Each structure stands twice: as C-alpha cells, then as structure tokens.
Amino acid sequence: MTDSTPTATPERPAELPAQSPPVDPAATAAAKSPGHHGAAPAGRLSFWRGDSGEGARRNLGLIGVLVVLVVIGIATRPDLYGNSSWVWDNILTILKLASVVGVVTVGMTFVIIGGGIDLSVGAIVALSGVWATTLATQSYGAGGMIFTALAVGIGVGLVNGLLVSYGKLVPFIATLAMMVAARGLAAEISDKQTQVSSNSVINGIASTSPLGIPLLVYILAAVVIAGWVLLNRTTFGRRTVAVGGNPEAARLAGINVRRHTVLLYALSGLCCGIAAIMLTAQANSAQAAMANLYELDAIAAAIIGGTLLSGGRGTIVGSLLGVVIFSTITNLFAINGLSTEAQNMVKGGIIVAAVLIQQFQFRSFTQFLGRNRLTTT
C-alpha cells in the first residue's frame, strides 16, 4: 500500500482590475464647467475666480473706491472740479502728499507679508532726518546727508531685525521699544530744536518738477517699481511670502528664517531713510516730532491694499492704492473745510471695515458661489 501525498497547487494571483490613466484635476474641473468646449475662456474665468485673481479683484475694488471719492468731490465742490487745470494740479497734490508715506508703506508691506510688524517707522524717519541735518553732517554736502539718512535707517532696521530674530522678542514689543528710543535719541541729538537744512540740492528735491510732475512722485514710483519687482520677480520675494505664511515650513525648506527676517526690517529701515530725505526736502528742516503717526498710516494703507496682518499675502500695488485712497480722503476733507478729527474717524472706520473684509475672505464667498453654480447645472 503506497501513501499518496497530495501536491499543493500554487494559488493564482488575483487579477487586478485595469487601472485608468491618471486624471488631470484641472482638466476635470474645466470639463465640468458649463459651456466648456476646450477653449481658453474657462481658464481665464478660473483665474479670475480663484486665488490668483484675488489681488486683481481687490485692486479693482480699490480703484472703485477712488472713483467714488472723486464722485463725492465733484458733488460737493463742482466749482473746483469744473476747472480742468485745477483738477490736474489737485491730482499732483494728492500724489505729492502720498509720496513720503507711500515709500514707508512699501517697506512696511514687506515686513507684514513676512509675518512681522514695525511700529518704529515714524521714529526712524525722524531720527534719520535729524541726524542728516546736523551741522556736522551738512558740512559733507548733499551726498553726506543722503548717505547718513540711509545708513541710520538701515542701521536701526537691522537692530529691529536682530531683536526680533535672535532676541526672540515679539515684533510688536521690539519695534514699540525702538519707537520710543529712536524718538528720544532724535530729541537728544537736536536738543529738541528744529534743525534747518541749508543744502540747496536737498531742498530742491521737493520743488523740482521734471516734465511738470514733482520729483517726489518720481521717487515714489521708483520705490514702488523696485518693491514690486523684488516681491514678485525674485527669490527674496518668494521667501518673504513663505516665511510669513509658515515659518516652520520655510525653515524645513532650507530658508534661513532668522536672516531673512533681519533683511526685511533692514529693508523697512532703508525706505524710512529715503522718506526722511523727502520729508526734510519738503519742510527744509527736520525735528524729533516729524513723521508722527506714520506707522499707523503705513499699516492702514497696507491693510487696505490687501496685506494680511497674519502674513503670507500682500501686494505692492494694493498698498500704493491704499496710500492714494487715504491721501484722497485727506484732500477731500481739506477742500470741503472739514475738521481733522472727522477725517481721522473716517480713516478708523475704513481700517475696521478692511480688517472685517479680510476675516470674511472673499475667496470663501467665491467658492460658495462656484459650488452653487455646479449644483444648479
């Protein structure tokens, strides 16, 4: 009798279902959109409704606010707006009024996008202007005055950055302390007196108007263009957005967050140095009390322009429009003989409204409309 050992037959592997090729989410979304025929208009619509078009939508909204302000001016003072030469001169007046704060706002925008805040910009402008108009500095001519203002601004900005990055101080506390210290140092240097600028080159900056446009407006345009290129077309700008959006993720991606933060505050100080020369040229003098509350104007303009206080998002063009809006409001109140107190109340209301709009997030509203549109179709 022979024992028969059963032979184990190997199990056949289960056949896997055929897998479909990966689907492009963008193509799927485009295919679901109503009226899609493989053409480009759907792409343009998705840009306008998505995150990429948020800056454009906000800037158009700010332009709409400017139009409303002009309409109010026409309605309240038709006698002035009926004069075309006065209108052109008034536009130049508004731009000239916005020039100094606009330069400061460019630096402030970078700091806020990077996740910080700088409450010392007004004090830095005052310190830079006072230091540049001392008798010792004026003896070196216009070049020495400009160099001193820029060096002082960058130096104070570096101190702010070091306190925030390596001293691990909260930006609000560090720059608040610098605001007090810089004002005190400016008062000590000037002996609480107004220092007159006797340099004709510096004083001529405010009175020179190439092609009928004030030189101060050209300086503002140059700073805005340089800031736009730096933020949107360089690695420095991309790193700024990354640091402000998520510092830990930026660090893991290889960005030196501390060093970059120091550079952001130095850039803000550089803008303050430029603004100090511009403001000194306008007044032909400098004092410790100059540029008072410029920090609030710069922060408000950046917020109005769409810069998030939490960091990670902002535009230079939006900040510029915010400055122009505030300058237009100031001009509107001036030509109607209204008080400064009422003007400040209106500005405060605009700031609160802008922050509430940021919290509401237009992007969520757009996505809500998009979901309803897909459901109905």
Side-chain angles (χ1 to χ4, degrees), residues 41-325:
R44 289 197 293 268
L45 288 176
S46 62
F47 164 80
W48 180 254
R49 293 169 182 162
D51 292 344
S52 301
E54 185 172 359
R57 294 195 303 271
R58 182 176 291 274
N59 290 341
L60 282 177
L62 294 174
I63 294 174
V65 172
L66 283 174
V67 172
V68 171
L69 292 175
V70 172
V71 171
I72 293 174
I74 295 174
T76 55
R77 293 302 304 268
D79 55 326
L80 295 178
Y81 279 88
N83 188 342
S84 59
S85 61
W86 180 91
V87 171
W88 173 247
D89 292 338
N90 193 51
I91 292 175
L92 295 181
T93 300
I94 292 174
L95 292 177
K96 190 175 180 179
L97 181 65
S99 59
V100 180
V101 180
V103 170
V104 176
T105 303
V106 170
M108 180 69 76
T109 302
F110 274 92
V111 172
I112 297 179
I113 293 175
I117 197 75
D118 192 350
L119 300 179
S120 63
V121 290
I124 296 176
V125 172
L127 179 60
S128 299
V130 166
W131 208 320
T133 53
T134 60
L135 293 177
T137 304
Q138 292 193 55
S139 63
Y140 290 97
M145 295 176 66
I146 294 174
F147 174 80
T148 300
L150 299 182
V152 171
I154 294 173
V156 178
L158 286 174
V159 173
N160 280 335
L162 290 173
L163 290 175
V164 172
S165 298
Y166 295 94
K168 298 188 182 301
L169 293 180
V170 178
F172 181 89
I173 299 299
T175 57
L176 180 63
M178 181 59 70
M179 178 182 69
V180 178
R183 289 282 184 191
L185 182 57
E188 182 69 23
I189 293 175
S190 63
D191 197 22
K192 300 181 181 179
Q193 302 295 321
T194 299
Q195 297 185 162
V196 178
S197 171
S198 59
N199 190 282
S200 59
V201 175
I202 297 296
N203 298 341
I205 293 176
S207 58
T208 304
S209 299
L211 302 178
I213 299 176
L215 182 58
L216 294 175
V217 178
Y218 285 105
I219 297 174
L220 172 62
V223 173
V224 168
I225 292 173
W228 186 90
V229 172
L230 187 62
L231 180 62
N232 297 281
R233 294 293 183 266
T234 66
T235 305
F236 183 88
R238 291 191 291 271
R239 289 178 177 176
T240 300
V241 175
V243 169
N246 192 328
E248 183 61 22
R251 185 187 66 81
L252 295 176
I255 299 176
N256 191 329
V257 176
R258 289 183 175 181
R259 182 179 64 186
H260 192 82
T261 302
V262 173
L263 293 177
L264 287 176
Y265 281 96
L267 177 61
S268 178
L270 172 63
C271 292
C272 291
I274 298 173
I277 293 296
M278 299 168 66
L279 196 57
T280 300
Q282 284 184 309
N284 291 343
S285 62
Q287 56 179 333
M290 66 190 293
N292 188 33
L293 297 181
Y294 270 34
E295 54 276 355
L296 298 184
D297 291 339
I299 294 173
I303 294 173
I304 293 297
T307 303
L308 286 181
L309 280 174
S310 57
R313 192 188 74 185
T315 63
I316 299 298
V317 175
S319 297
L320 175 64
L321 290 174
V323 174
V324 175
I325 285 175

Side-chain angles (χ1 to χ4, degrees), residues 330-353:
T330 301
N331 178 263
L332 187 61
F333 274 66
I335 63 177
N336 284 280
L338 299 177
S339 64
T340 305
E341 291 76 13
Q343 172 188 326
N344 291 334
M345 287 189 290
V346 171
K347 286 184 177 180
I350 293 175
I351 296 171
V352 172

